[in-house]
Amino acid sequence: MTSSTAGDASWSIGELAARAGVTVKTVRFYSDQGLLPEAGRSSGGHRRYGPEALGRLRMIRSLRTLDLPVPDVGRALERDDALADLVADRLRELRPQLVALRWREAALHLLTDCSPEERARRLDLIGAMGLPPDTDVLARFWRRWLFPARLPAPLLAGIVDVAVPAPPHDPTPAQVLAFGRLRAIVTAPCPPGVVDRPPAPRRFRDGFRPAVLYSGLREAYDLAAPELRAGRAPVGGEALDRYVAAWADAGGARDSAAFRRRLTGVLADEPRLDHYWDVVSELATPPGAPPEPTPGAAEAWLREALTGAGPRAWTTADSDPPGRRTPP
């Protein structure tokens, strides 16, 4: 094959490959795909390329370096406005892949510097939840717990959003472990008669209105949050009054000393939920900062306040009006 001269405006396939720093096989492949225009053929039928093919070949190499598929490379070469759209699409595809890689990296770090027994336990947690973690199992647990058939959809969604933390895009090893623990908490079998008992609202009589309860509890938790942040001991006050009122309103009862005594008997510690909220607090709290109040922490604080507050003083008869429902 005769080399081109200064007056020759075309190059052979080998000359183009040498100028671009690629193999002849690469040039032939892109030519066969219709991505490299030929300037013509030699008298022997060999392909010849003009100088514009060199710039196009370099552009193809750059786009392929970004892992754009060959058909997308062709579209980018045909239309000036196509490249921006293709880059945006590729970024959207890469984001979940990058998140998955970060979770795997954090999980690998989690398996270092621990005993063989602890490493095996952590591997079990990682394998059960997957990476990144699927939080649907957590959401299903809370929907089953919260009277899903009797709660308005917006209220149910709001509660689940608070109860189910969103996995971070760039997790730490501790966060990987925390999500594994959350999944284990909601999927582990419960000791009979201890943490598998129904939630307190389900121990009320027919006619109990859970939507009224959970709306009121949300307000009570908000009132209790400053007390928790300040580290104050559980005491009576506005937060506790709103907490008791939420239960009374939901059951069609009146807040009274007698009601509070009965409510104390109905409410009980929920070890599984307490453990769950402890882990959620770890996820929500930056290292070295005080624990961030969660609904679970507020619930425990208010239950303790109810138990230790003693009977509330009343100026009217300490009984429930006729027709009102009270806890069993």
Side-chain angles (χ1 to χ4, degrees), residues 71-212:
D72 288 345
V73 170
R75 286 194 289 273
L77 294 172
E78 291 169 6
R79 290 177 34 229
D80 292 338
D81 60 343
L83 181 56
D85 292 339
L86 290 169
V87 168
D89 290 343
R90 190 63 184 142
L91 284 172
R92 281 191 291 270
E93 294 172 5
L94 283 176
R95 285 187 187 110
Q97 297 175 34
L98 291 172
V99 170
L101 287 173
R102 293 187 189 108
W103 274 88
R104 291 173 194 167
E105 180 185 24
L108 289 170
H109 283 298
L110 182 64
L111 300 177
T112 62
D113 299 327
C114 59
S115 68
E117 294 78 9
E118 178 63 16
R119 186 175 295 115
R121 187 183 74 86
R122 293 179 180 185
L123 273 172
D124 285 343
L125 292 176
I126 292 169
M129 72 173 173
L131 298 173
D134 182 0
T135 57
D136 285 349
V137 65
L138 307 181
R140 287 194 297 271
F141 169 82
W142 283 103
R143 291 191 183 100
R144 288 194 303 268
W145 193 269
L146 294 168
F147 281 74
R150 300 169 62 184
L151 282 180
L155 177 59
L156 176 61
I159 295 172
V160 172
D161 284 346
V162 172
V164 179
H169 292 292
D170 191 5
T172 64
Q175 288 171 325
V176 174
L177 181 59
F179 272 93
R181 291 165 59 197
L182 287 179
R183 190 187 190 283
I185 289 168
V186 302
T187 58
C190 304
V194 179
V195 294
D196 62 343
R197 59 180 172 265
R202 300 185 189 180
R203 299 195 287 273
F204 280 74
R205 299 172 180 172
D206 292 340
F208 188 81
R209 297 176 295 169
V212 174

Side-chain angles (χ1 to χ4, degrees), residues 46-66:
H46 299 292
R47 305 179 195 194
R48 306 293 294 182
Y49 298 91
E52 68 277 2
L54 180 59
R56 196 174 180 91
L57 183 55
R58 286 172 174 163
M59 174 66 76
I60 293 170
R61 289 184 60 196
S62 298
L63 295 174
R64 291 292 292 146
T65 299
L66 297 174

Side-chain angles (χ1 to χ4, degrees), residues 216-217 219-228 235-246 260 298 301-302 305:
L217 290 182
E219 296 175 11
Y221 296 160
D222 289 342
L223 291 170
E227 307 294 325
L228 283 133
V235 294
E238 185 180 8
L240 179 59
D241 290 347
R242 186 66 192 94
Y243 179 75
V244 175
R260 292 191 177 209
W301 190 93
L302 289 163

